């Protein structure tokens, strides 16, 4: 598998990673016999609508750009983002959307091709905007709610919706120069306020929150690539700031992750049967970047700026996101950015649902057919 992956590439020569021929036991791929009323009894095939809030990693800046095409980083390859990107099929590119399409070919909302958030025909429900930080999440949440309500092809009351959130890179890149305002508490409160909007406005919704990534990892790629270092000066000040140690960055990322964990554990978003927030912590504890067999950084993971993810990086991250969604709370695995050829998980027969805090404790209560 590993060999296949490294050789696989798209027509325009950008490395990618797919899961050709992947499927699960037919029973596990079916929709529930009747539309679930509980968010803890959601089979993957029950998801009809997907959307996302986020920054340039959700807009997928540069994901489809060739290695030396630095200007390509300005292009938003929304269709390739690891969460709601719907370009190609799972055979060629791994994203949460491409996996969900296998379960429900009528899935709606995923983004395709390139373009900004306000181009409905391509962005659909991917509301992520390059440069966004946690303080922009409420605005994006309101924008997403408006899109869900305004589009007649969506039955936003009755259809099950999955909203993915990944935010914080830009908070972290400016954190060292705004120590008073860019606190982890502030970060949590910003996400909380956005999820409150979703909770108030959207029935039948599961919010999937990808936990913060440690940006000190980027320094491992920069070490051998002076060009990257230079670009990061403008993209991510605190990453290249010599006064900021790796440890400081790692600790701050950990704090952000803890605060996200608090949001889930508080139970604030577990008060209705048809809404929950679930954290996918696969970035927590990642200690290395993607490497080639000889140990050097595998730059296919990155876009040409060595900061954003390339198509291949989005696929690796997409696989880890999906696998976390299939794993019960408390037993979710940490990502390895170097692809180990590990499989894409299927729902478990004993609990064939997207795992939530509640069905991770006692799945039998939520069993349906
Ligand atoms: C990640 O996977 C690679 C390839 O199998 C392995 O060499 C490396 O030790 C793994 N890294 C971690 C942190 O487990």
């Amino acid at each position: 598998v590993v060999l296949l992956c490294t050789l696989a590439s798209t027509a325009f020569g950008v490395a990618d990673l797919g899961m050709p021929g992947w499927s699960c036991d037919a029973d596990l791929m079916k929709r529930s016999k009747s539309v679930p009323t509980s968010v803890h009894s959601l089979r993957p095939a029950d998801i009809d609508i997907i959307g996302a809030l986020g920054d340039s990693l959700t807009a997928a800046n540069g994901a489809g750009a060739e290695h030396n095409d630095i200007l390509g980083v300005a292009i938003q390859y929304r269709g390739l983002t690891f969460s709601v990107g719907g370009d190609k099929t799972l055979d060629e590119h791994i994203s949460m959307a491409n996996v969900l399409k296998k379960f429900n070919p009528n899935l709606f909302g995923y983004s395709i091709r390139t373009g900004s958030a306000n181009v409905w025909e391509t962005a659909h429900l991917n509301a992520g905007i390059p440069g966004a930080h946690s303080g922009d999440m409420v605005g994006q949440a309101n924008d997403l709610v408006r899109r869900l309500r305004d589009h007649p092809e969506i039955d936003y009351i009755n259809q099950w919706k999955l909203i993915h959130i990944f935010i914080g890179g830009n908070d972290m890149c400016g954190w060292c120069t705004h120590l008073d305002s860019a606190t982890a508490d502030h970060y949590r409160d910003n996400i909380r306020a956005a999820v409150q909007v979703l909770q108030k406005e959207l029935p039948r919704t599961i919010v999937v929150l990808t936990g913060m990534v440690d940006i000190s990892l980027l320094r491992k790629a920069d070490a051998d690539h002076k060009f990257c270092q230079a670009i990061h000066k403008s993209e991510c000040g605190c990453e290249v700031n010599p006064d900021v140690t790796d440890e400081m960055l790692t600790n701050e990322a950990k704090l952000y992750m803890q605060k996200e964990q608090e949001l889930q554990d508080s139970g604030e978003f577990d008060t209705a049967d048809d809404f929950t927030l679930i954290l996918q912590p696969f970035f927590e504890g990642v200690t290395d970047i993607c490497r080639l067999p000889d140990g050097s950084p595998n730059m296919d993971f990155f876009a040409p700026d060595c900061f954003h993810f390339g198509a291949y990086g989005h696929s690796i991250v997409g696989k880890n996101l999906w696998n976390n969604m299939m794993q019960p709370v408390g037993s979710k695995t940490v990502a390895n950015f170097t692809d180990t050829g590990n499989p894409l998980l299927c729902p478990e027969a004993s609990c064939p649902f997207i795992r939530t805090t509640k069905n991770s404790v006692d799945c039998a209560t939520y069993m349906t057919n």
Side-chain angles (χ1 to χ4, degrees), residues 324-344:
N324 262 198
M325 287 166 61
M326 294 294 102
Q327 293 166 328
V329 173
S331 309
K332 295 184 187 281
T333 47
V334 176
N336 182 339
F337 287 166
T338 304
D339 189 47
T340 53
N342 59 325
L344 194 56

Side-chain angles (χ1 to χ4, degrees), residues 241-253:
N241 186 330
D243 297 332
V244 177
T245 63
D246 292 2
E247 200 187 359
M248 286 161 74
L249 284 173
T250 303
N251 287 344
E252 192 62 16

Side-chain angles (χ1 to χ4, degrees), residues 175-188:
W175 152 78
C176 63
T177 46
H178 302 90
L179 289 173
D180 49 336
S181 58
T183 63
D185 279 356
H186 197 64
Y187 171 73
R188 176 202 54 209

Side-chain angles (χ1 to χ4, degrees), residues 26-271:
D27 272 352
L28 298 174
M29 301 204 70
K30 287 185 193 146
R31 278 163 87 88
S32 300
K33 291 223 168 64
S34 49
V35 179
T37 51
S38 168
V39 72
H40 310 292
S41 304
L42 265 187
R43 287 164 213 269
D46 295 324
I47 302 292
D48 284 323
I49 308 288
I50 54 172
L53 315 181
D55 56 23
S56 52
L57 289 168
T58 296
N61 279 75
E66 294 197 51
H67 270 310
N68 52 3
D69 178 19
I70 186 68
L71 294 179
V73 176
I75 297 174
Q76 300 169 29
Y77 289 89
R78 249 166 230 281
L80 292 173
T81 187
F82 68 92
S83 55
V84 298
D87 275 358
K88 309 194 230 180
T89 65
L90 185 61
D91 285 359
E92 303 148 293
H93 180 70
I94 308 172
S95 67
M96 178 185 70
N98 282 347
V99 182
L100 283 171
K101 275 197 250 168
K102 282 270 192 176
F103 290 88
N104 178 9
N106 297 321
L107 184 72
F108 183 81
Y110 55 82
S111 46
I112 54 169
R113 304 200 282 271
T114 59
S116 31
N118 58 4
V119 183
W120 169 256
E121 291 70 18
T122 46
H124 295 127
L125 298 173
N126 178 343
I129 293 180
H133 51 91
S134 63
D136 297 314
M137 290 302 95
V138 165
Q140 286 190 20
N142 282 312
D143 174 36
L144 190 64
V145 168
R146 182 189 51 74
R147 291 179 200 214
L148 283 160
R149 284 197 177 147
D150 284 0
H151 284 275
E153 59 269 58
I154 300 170
D155 177 354
Y156 92 97
I157 299 286
N158 293 303
Q159 289 183 304
W160 276 99
K161 297 158 285 296
L162 185 156
I163 310 297
H164 179 264
I165 305 178
F166 179 48
I167 195 69
N170 294 308
D171 295 62
M172 204 62 132
C173 289
W175 152 78
C176 63
T177 46
H178 302 90
L179 289 173
D180 49 336
S181 58
T183 63
D185 279 356
H186 197 64
Y187 171 73
R188 176 202 54 209
D189 292 344
N190 284 333
I191 298 176
R192 180 169 176 244
V195 181
Q196 283 171 337
V197 169
L198 302 177
Q199 185 183 33
K200 177 160 175 279
E201 304 293 338
L202 301 179
R204 293 192 171 170
T205 297
I206 183 166
V207 179
V208 171
L209 177 63
T210 285
M212 186 57 194
V213 64
D214 175 5
I215 60 167
S216 81
L217 289 170
L218 290 171
R219 291 178 169 182
K220 293 181 196 278
D222 285 7
D224 298 335
H225 298 84
K226 293 286 170 227
F227 167 73
C228 301
Q229 238 176 33
I231 298 176
H232 295 178
K233 275 210 172 79
S234 58
E235 276 185 327
C236 194
C238 299
E239 187 240 307
V240 291
N241 186 330
D243 297 332
V244 177
T245 63
D246 292 2
E247 200 187 359
M248 286 161 74
L249 284 173
T250 303
N251 287 344
E252 192 62 16
K254 275 200 188 128
L255 217 50
Y256 277 35
M257 292 181 208
Q258 272 169 27
K259 296 293 168 182
E260 290 179 301
Q261 182 82 44
E262 277 178 30
L263 275 183
Q264 176 193 275
D265 296 348
S266 71
E268 173 178 355
F269 300 112
D270 262 327
T271 55

Side-chain angles (χ1 to χ4, degrees), residues 2 285-289 291 335-341:
V2 177
V286 173
T287 52
D288 203 6
I289 54 172
R291 298 205 179 264
N336 182 339
F337 287 166
T338 304
D339 189 47
T340 53

